[in-house]
Amino acid sequence: EAAASMPNMSRAVLELYGAYRGAQSRLDTFSERMANEPYLAGLDHEFRTLITSIQSFSEILRDNADLGPDQRQQFLGIIADESKLLSQSIESVLDQVGDDGSEDVAHTRLPAEKVADVFQANMNYFPNLEAAAERVRADMTPTSVAGSVTVIDYLRRRHKVETEVVPGSDMPGVLRRYDPATRRLLLSRRLQPGGQIFQAAVQIGLLENVAEMAGIVGLAGVVEPSAQALTRHALANYFAAALMMPYDDFLAAAEDSRYDIERLSRHYGASFEQVCHRLSTLQKPGATGVPFHLVRVDIAGNISLRFSASGIRIPRYGGLCPRWNVHGAFLTPGAINRQIAEMPDGRRYISIAKAINKGGGGFHAPQSHLSIGIGCDLSHAGRIVYGDDLDFAGGIAATPVGTSCRLCPRSDCRQRAFPSFDHHLELNENVRGDTVHVTPQMKMK
């Protein structure tokens, strides 16, 4: 009724709420960074040391009127020097703040974080690379589904590149090696057949999409060479997935199978992780799939991949909430783990996770243990096979989760590892909660 009778006021309310959510998001990000950014942690220690020194010598001068001229001059010199160092430290921080008050922290962030920002800003969908993949497929054998022979033939025919699969012992620690001088592409036999196809397709992407990738990198404002190289590598992987799993065909297959990842994996000869990646790219205007979030963690909880089209918040810094099933998946490797998660704001998500191993190729070969988590808002549960047998009518029991301990306001979580930024922790040695960070004395600031 308000929207119909007072549209301007309603629009203002929406804009106000949007500004509030934006400010809250920036505050959460800054709080997260303050807790986990080594650069800021070092500055905090430096500031405190300098301030303590200045305060101590100032109090000596104030409280000791009988100090000799030489001592007084010495202490004044120390205060002047420490004040100068403090001023320089403050200026170094202010140099990172833009004219609009926002932080320019590009040079303090890791290249992988910059790449994640590029993909998030583009909603993990790059139409130019999709079109490039379609052009390559059109030039391949008509009966091809981007199989290894066809991809290798394309490299030879279009780029005069000879491809050879070599024993893993010939390239220890290397899966793909391309020599521009000899135009030879070497693929490790440690790769599964689908992995060999994928890496050959990555090489096609690197050879054919220089302009497209440069345009994406330029628009994103990525200037650091290492971050540019990592972004191009990620975009080449995107192209390879688009070549192996063409958008329209893949979307139709996903809808037909109700987003059954293992069925899609068998159909396209792709790995579980590759299919999850591709599902997260279905954001083509007018032909979108289920908006998924995607996260990859290692066995230590480090986040090596994050993207969210579902709206769920994935931490940029620090660890992920231990209640997320992406951690529990390590307990049952190879099995699909399903979870209905409820965030502190009340939104619910359905997520699945699977622990996988990478590497290997022999008894002594090292392996990487990773967990892939993918999910969507619970409102889309009816579209995916993992939403079957959920009792929507009777209410669905959900696992209370958060983003990370530092950002989660839940005061009753027995898995809390750190106090929340939103709470003041008052410890009482006579009371022991589920953890030292959860006690009856925890209260809002």
Side-chain angles (χ1 to χ4, degrees):
E1 292 174 358
S5 59
M6 296 174 288
N8 290 336
M9 186 196 76
S10 301
R11 189 176 298 109
V13 171
L14 289 174
E15 290 176 355
L16 179 62
Y17 182 69
Y20 158 73
R21 290 296 298 268
Q24 185 65 50
S25 177
R26 288 191 295 275
L27 177 61
D28 289 346
T29 299
F30 181 71
S31 299
E32 203 177 344
R33 183 167 180 250
M34 285 292 291
N36 297 281
E37 178 62 64
Y39 173 74
L40 289 177
L43 281 179
D44 177 70
H45 176 73
E46 182 179 346
F47 284 164
R48 291 179 185 275
T49 301
L50 292 171
I51 290 172
T52 300
S53 176
I54 293 170
Q55 182 178 1
S56 297
F57 285 106
S58 298
E59 290 174 351
I60 292 174
L61 289 173
R62 182 194 65 189
D63 299 336
N64 294 273
D66 56 347
L67 286 175
D70 291 341
Q71 282 184 304
R72 187 171 294 276
Q73 190 64 33
Q74 178 186 359
F75 291 153
L76 286 172
I78 293 173
I79 293 174
D81 291 341
E82 300 286 67
S83 299
K84 182 178 180 181
L85 289 175
L86 179 60
S87 176
Q88 291 173 347
S89 297
I90 293 174
E91 287 179 2
S92 71
V93 175
L94 295 178
D95 287 342
Q96 297 179 63
V97 181
D99 295 335
D100 60 351
S102 62
E103 291 178 283
D104 179 15
V105 296
H107 63 287
T108 67
R109 290 186 291 133
L110 296 174
E113 295 170 2
K114 300 174 187 178
V115 174
D117 288 344
V118 172
F119 278 73
Q120 186 67 56
N122 288 275
M123 288 303 290
N124 207 10
Y125 176 72
F126 299 93
N128 290 346
L129 295 181
E130 296 283 353
E134 288 297 328
R135 289 194 298 270
V136 171
R137 287 184 64 84
D139 197 25
M140 286 182 172
T141 307
T143 58
S144 165
V145 289
S148 59
V149 175
T150 302
V151 173
I152 290 172
D153 174 70
Y154 181 89
L155 280 167
R156 180 187 302 114
R157 181 164 49 88
R158 283 292 178 187
H159 298 282
K160 306 266 189 296
V161 172
E162 294 296 330
T163 304
E164 182 181 355
V165 179
V166 301
S169 57
D170 290 355
M171 296 195 306
V174 178
L175 299 178
R176 171 178 54 86
R177 173 175 288 152
Y178 174 65
D179 185 348
T182 62
R183 306 195 77 78
R184 290 183 67 216
L185 174 64
L186 303 181
L187 301 175
S188 174
R189 196 166 290 162
R190 291 190 295 119
L191 289 166
Q192 296 291 329
Q196 294 175 10
I197 298 171
F198 187 86
Q199 290 300 328
V202 167
Q203 194 60 55
I204 294 175
L206 291 171
L207 290 170
E208 295 201 358
N209 298 296
V210 175
E212 287 85 351
M213 293 180 184
I216 295 170
V217 170
L219 287 174
V222 180
V223 296
E224 186 180 351
S226 59
Q228 289 182 344
L230 193 58
T231 303
R232 287 193 296 269
H233 174 75
L235 292 172
N237 284 345
Y238 181 101
F239 170 87
L243 185 60
M244 288 179 63
M245 297 168 274
Y247 191 100
D248 293 336
D249 181 77
F250 183 80
L251 176 59
E255 290 284 351
D256 181 65
S257 67
R258 298 183 58 232
Y259 294 85
D260 190 319
I261 297 172
E262 290 171 314
R263 282 181 58 184
L264 292 169
S265 179
R266 288 193 298 270
H267 179 74
Y268 288 99
S271 69
F272 182 89
E273 182 179 3
Q274 288 169 348
V275 171
C276 288
H277 272 259
R278 191 56 172 150
L279 286 174
S280 71
T281 69
L282 300 180
Q283 301 298 314
K284 180 180 179 180
T288 59
V290 170
F292 286 107
H293 60 259
L294 179 65
V295 64
R296 181 180 64 203
V297 303
D298 64 18
I299 202 165
N302 299 305
I303 302 172
S304 56
L305 175 69
R306 59 177 174 81
F307 168 74
S308 178
S310 68
I312 199 170
R313 180 173 170 80
I314 302 173
R316 178 189 295 273
Y317 307 98
L320 194 62
C321 172
R323 285 181 167 179
W324 282 39
N325 64 335
V326 72
H327 301 297
F330 285 113
L331 301 176
T332 55
I336 295 289
N337 291 261
R338 185 177 66 172
Q339 180 185 54
I340 307 300
E342 181 175 307
M343 299 298 288
D345 62 4
R347 289 191 63 178
R348 292 188 170 193
Y349 301 86
I350 177 170
S351 301
I352 68 160
K354 182 178 180 181
I356 62 173
N357 294 332
K358 283 187 174 183
F363 180 75
H364 295 290
Q367 290 191 347
S368 299
H369 303 280
L370 303 169
S371 180
I372 312 298
I374 186 170
C376 61
D377 190 277
L378 193 59
S379 61
H380 298 286
R383 297 177 60 184
I384 64 177
V385 67
Y386 308 104
D388 290 350
D389 69 47
L390 293 178
D391 183 14
F392 290 97
I396 303 172
T399 302
V401 302
T403 302
S404 67
C405 285
R406 289 293 195 185
L407 301 178
C408 180
R410 301 186 190 279
S411 61
D412 58 347
C413 176
R414 64 184 307 147
Q415 291 182 273
R416 177 174 287 283
F418 306 100
S420 170
F421 278 112
D422 293 337
H423 292 79
H424 176 62
L425 181 61
E426 295 180 357
L427 293 178
N428 183 342
E429 62 271 22
N430 297 316
V431 180
R432 177 61 162 87
D434 287 327
T435 78
V436 70
H437 302 293
V438 178
T439 73
Q441 280 69 41
M442 181 178 283
K443 60 184 180 180
M444 295 297 292
K445 284 183 178 179

